[in-house]
Amino acid sequence: MNSTDLPRLTVRSPADLIAAVPYLLGFHPADSIVVVALAASRIVFAARGDLTDDADTQEASTHIAAVTAQQGADSATVIGYGPAIRVTPALDAVRAALTDAGLTVLDALRVTGDRWWSYVCTEPECCPPEGTPYDPRASTVPAAAVFAGQVALPDRAALAAQIAPVGGAEMRHAAERAEKRLTGLLAAAPPTDLLGGRALRSAGLAACRAARRRHRSGKQLTDDEVAWLCLLLTHLPVRDHAWERTDGRDEDVAFWTELLRRAEPELIAAPGALLAFAAWREGQGALAAVALERVLTEHPDYSLALLLDDLLRRGVPPSRLDGWPASGLPKQPRRRRSRRRPPR
């Protein structure tokens, strides 16, 4: 599921709403259930879930309805994308769950190919049984969304491709050099510096500042700079220093995206979680979700990723935590059991 701080788009018809959904999510959904929630006449929340098997439909519907109800919404429209045989049971379950949660269901739509059907309207003049053809290009919504800086990628896979790894042998060699450099740093720390904590923090802060300056200047970080910073970010005081200086700016998203893509798998936990935080703060819930998926696949016990994943799944908007993490950390969720060794 993903949620966003949504752009203001004027929607006057079901076709307009269908045209708006890809820009609300960040990509064109397929085999999905989407809930668009409103407070009065303003869209305040959009969430997407995969179409699930019958055994999982009820649980997924209850969850998405509960999350939607927490957004201050009073009504919602449900849209299913896919063939009728899969969409109809999911639509029925989500409609019932939303009603049980106290929300008015304004409409329930199925989109299959280039046609849509309403499960609420029974008037053949406006909702014919063979479906209503639609062309997103006939709506003013896509143009307004693009003008507002919104992007709709072809699908979720295209979004995940934006953070796919691009490292190689040279990056692996850089990671090995970073390990040797770290060994030397700790060996040179004075006896009064317990476990080299001060030396690690000092080196980490310097590496963060240098990397951000280089990135802001438009220069690409070297393999050694990426490997050294990512290794130092496994030291929590360094990670937290970087976290407190990460917000919802485009610059933050671009910076952490570069580090996540280039880092070795054992070092992606911190940059991936920090990218998710920056994307969430910027209102790019879908990007935050795919970043967290990548992190938790490699490091299922990484606490910051679990915390952010919990926020996204509960649909917590970034505005509710303005000033965080400097203002204090919320309670972190329980760690998942795993045989994998968590990152340092």
Side-chain angles (χ1 to χ4, degrees):
M1 181 183 298
N2 54 272
S3 61
T4 60
D5 277 353
L6 302 173
R8 292 181 179 272
L9 300 175
T10 301
V11 174
R12 296 186 174 91
S13 66
D16 277 348
L17 183 59
I18 293 167
V21 164
Y23 297 92
L24 300 177
L25 299 177
F27 60 92
H28 290 264
D31 296 321
S32 302
I33 284 289
V34 174
V35 173
V36 180
L38 298 90
S41 59
R42 180 170 177 261
I43 296 174
V44 295
F45 181 74
R48 185 205 71 89
D50 294 328
L51 290 178
T52 58
D53 296 332
D54 290 345
D56 300 322
T57 295
Q58 188 58 53
E59 181 180 355
S61 300
T62 301
H63 174 69
I64 201 170
V67 170
T68 303
Q70 294 169 7
Q71 309 307 312
D74 48 47
S75 61
T77 291
V78 191
I79 309 174
Y81 293 81
I85 193 170
R86 296 197 66 207
V87 168
T88 300
L91 272 180
D92 290 344
V94 173
R95 289 171 64 190
L98 288 168
T99 301
D100 289 344
L103 292 162
T104 299
V105 178
L106 300 176
D107 208 342
L109 307 172
R110 171 169 59 87
V111 177
T112 306
D114 59 357
R115 290 177 178 266
W116 60 266
W117 287 258
S118 173
Y119 286 60
V120 173
C121 176
T122 58
E123 298 296 329
E125 294 80 8
C126 60
C127 301
E130 68 273 16
T132 303
Y134 82 99
D135 181 356
R137 295 171 296 182
S139 171
T140 61
V141 169
V146 171
F147 183 77
Q150 300 299 310
V151 175
L153 295 173
D155 51 32
R156 199 169 186 270
L159 185 66
Q162 292 188 336
I163 60 165
V166 294
E170 291 302 317
M171 197 68 237
R172 165 53 60 186
H173 296 328
E176 292 169 354
R177 290 192 294 272
E179 289 281 1
K180 293 177 181 178
R181 185 177 175 183
L182 181 62
T183 299
L185 176 73
L186 296 176
T192 55
D193 185 3
L194 185 63
L195 300 178
R198 290 197 301 272
L200 279 169
R201 187 175 189 278
S202 178
L205 270 55
C208 283
R209 287 193 296 267
R212 296 305 290 258
R213 279 198 304 268
R214 186 174 180 87
H215 188 267
R216 282 194 296 268
S217 72
K219 299 177 182 177
Q220 186 179 46
L221 273 64
T222 67
D223 289 345
D224 285 313
E225 286 174 320
V226 170
W228 181 234
L229 177 54
C230 289
L231 181 59
L232 291 169
L233 284 167
T234 63
H235 185 53
L236 290 183
V238 177
R239 194 279 313 273
D240 289 348
H241 169 85
W243 185 13
E244 290 175 1
R245 285 153 182 80
T246 295
D247 207 333
R249 298 164 294 182
D250 289 343
E251 175 191 328
D252 289 330
V253 173
F255 178 76
W256 293 115
T257 295
E258 179 179 350
L259 262 69
L260 173 59
R261 299 196 73 185
R262 296 177 61 191
E264 287 297 292
E266 64 269 21
L267 298 178
I268 69 167
L274 292 171
L275 168 59
F277 179 72
W280 174 69
R281 290 290 300 174
E282 195 185 36
Q284 297 188 49
L287 177 59
V290 295
L292 291 172
E293 282 181 10
R294 231 198 112 191
V295 171
L296 291 171
T297 297
E298 292 287 340
H299 306 287
D301 289 327
Y302 194 64
S303 60
L304 178 56
L306 289 171
L307 174 61
L308 295 171
D309 185 60
D310 181 61
L311 292 176
L312 259 67
R313 290 180 183 280
R314 290 192 287 115
V316 177
S319 57
R320 290 191 188 174
L321 293 173
D322 283 341
W324 179 65
S327 59
L329 304 181
K331 185 178 179 181
Q332 299 194 10
R334 280 182 158 183
R335 294 188 172 191
R336 303 174 183 174
R337 291 186 178 180
S338 173
R339 295 183 180 179
R340 285 178 178 262
R341 183 178 178 181
R344 291 174 294 175

